[in-house]
Amino acid sequence: QKEVEQDPGPLSVPEGAIVSLNCTYSNSAFQYFMWYRQYSRKGPELLMYTYSSGNKEDGRFTAQVDKSSKYISLFIRDSQPSDSATYLCALYTGTASKLTFGTGTRLQVTL
Amino acid sequence: AAGVIQSPRHLIKEKRETATLKCYPIPRHDTVYWYQQGPGQDPQFLISFYEKMQSDKGSIPDRFSAQQFSDYHSELNMSSLELGDSALYFCASSPDRRRGNEQFFGPGTRLTVL
């Protein structure tokens, strides 16, 4: 079983919809929770990171962490076609160097 | 803003050949990370460097080696290439090793082994 589980999608939504992307994890040592956006054949782009349980907002993006349930989410409001990409959650313990990624959810926002 | 630079962007090699991938971190970032991403897979951590010293090691084959130089750029050397080494190789950098939650990725090098 992978340390981080993420629904691979694809997820198709109409423009303007609210998108919810989720990851679950099993290792309680993870302390930091990141969301990356990756366009096809490009490098992952850091969108947001959070440390504690609760919500963090940045423009149209809201990251939510529930450490007690080991569940993290990314919400995208007013989705745009330019949001079409693969979204990867990434978790970090704060001790080892590596990021542990989810498999990524492919999002398609249609006109 | 300056980003992580990787070269070459594409590389085609034959089996058993050698390849060298280069990474130039964001200015004033002293920590570098290497990841391998196979087709349809998530990035897998290979190795990291802080202040020119190896910091952490992941699932890096013994055929691969890496180092970080005095100007903080890093090189990943891959020998005896195998078909299974075909993948995207990403370099990431962070402001320092205590801020590994802020890893900024480069565009990647696409390695194809024939």
Side-chain angles (χ1 to χ4, degrees):
Chain A
Q1 186 182 359
K2 286 176 68 75
E3 283 189 285
V4 181
E5 299 283 354
Q6 184 176 8
D7 188 334
L11 179 63
S12 183
V13 302
E15 183 179 10
I18 296 175
V19 176
S20 172
L21 304 164
N22 311 293
C23 287
T24 59
Y25 63 97
S26 55
N27 187 353
S28 57
F30 290 125
Q31 298 295 319
Y32 295 86
F33 309 91
M34 283 68 69
W35 285 96
Y36 283 83
R37 177 174 62 195
Q38 186 174 23
Y39 293 109
S40 182
R41 295 174 176 261
K42 304 289 186 184
E45 174 192 1
L46 179 62
L47 290 175
M48 304 177 67
Y49 69 86
T50 55
Y51 174 72
S52 57
S53 285
N55 294 350
K56 182 178 180 180
E57 190 174 316
D58 184 0
R60 295 185 296 111
F61 299 91
T62 299
Q64 189 175 81
V65 174
D66 182 346
K67 284 188 174 182
S68 62
S69 302
K70 297 188 177 64
Y71 190 87
I72 64 174
S73 300
L74 178 70
F75 298 96
I76 307 174
R77 290 184 300 280
D78 188 25
S79 55
Q80 303 294 311
S82 58
D83 294 328
S84 298
T86 296
Y87 290 80
L88 301 117
C89 62
L91 285 69
Y92 177 65
T93 61
T95 51
S97 294
K98 71 173 187 176
L99 297 180
T100 301
F101 285 88
T103 50
T105 299
R106 191 155 58 91
L107 172 67
Q108 180 75 36
V109 181
T110 57
L111 291 169
Chain B
V4 175
I5 297 172
Q6 291 187 247
S7 68
R9 295 293 310 279
H10 302 273
L11 194 56
I12 299 175
K13 292 286 184 178
E14 301 277 338
K15 275 172 49 178
R16 292 181 287 278
E17 283 192 322
T18 298
T20 297
L21 279 54
K22 296 185 178 182
C23 168
Y24 297 86
I26 293 171
R28 292 180 295 283
H29 282 199
D30 59 16
T31 306
V32 168
Y33 313 80
W34 286 96
Y35 290 82
Q36 177 191 58
Q37 186 176 31
Q41 298 181 1
D42 53 286
Q44 295 294 313
F45 172 73
L46 294 177
I47 196 167
S48 63
F49 290 88
Y50 166 69
E51 285 289 344
K52 303 175 284 291
M53 299 286 289
Q54 180 181 306
S55 178
D56 237 332
K57 201 170 182 179
S59 50
I60 184 170
D62 292 340
R63 298 177 289 108
F64 295 5
S65 64
Q67 56 184 322
Q68 185 180 31
F69 295 86
S70 57
D71 64 351
Y72 297 109
H73 95 270
S74 178
E75 295 184 3
L76 178 66
N77 298 292
M78 310 160 71
S79 63
S80 302
L81 287 169
E82 302 174 355
L83 296 178
D85 296 329
S86 296
L88 263 173
Y89 290 83
F90 291 110
C91 171
S93 71
S94 67
D96 65 60
R97 65 176 175 176
R98 292 164 298 180
R99 294 167 66 179
N101 55 304
E102 297 177 65
Q103 294 185 29
F104 296 90
F105 282 73
T109 294
R110 181 171 294 278
L111 173 66
T112 302
V113 181
L114 302 176

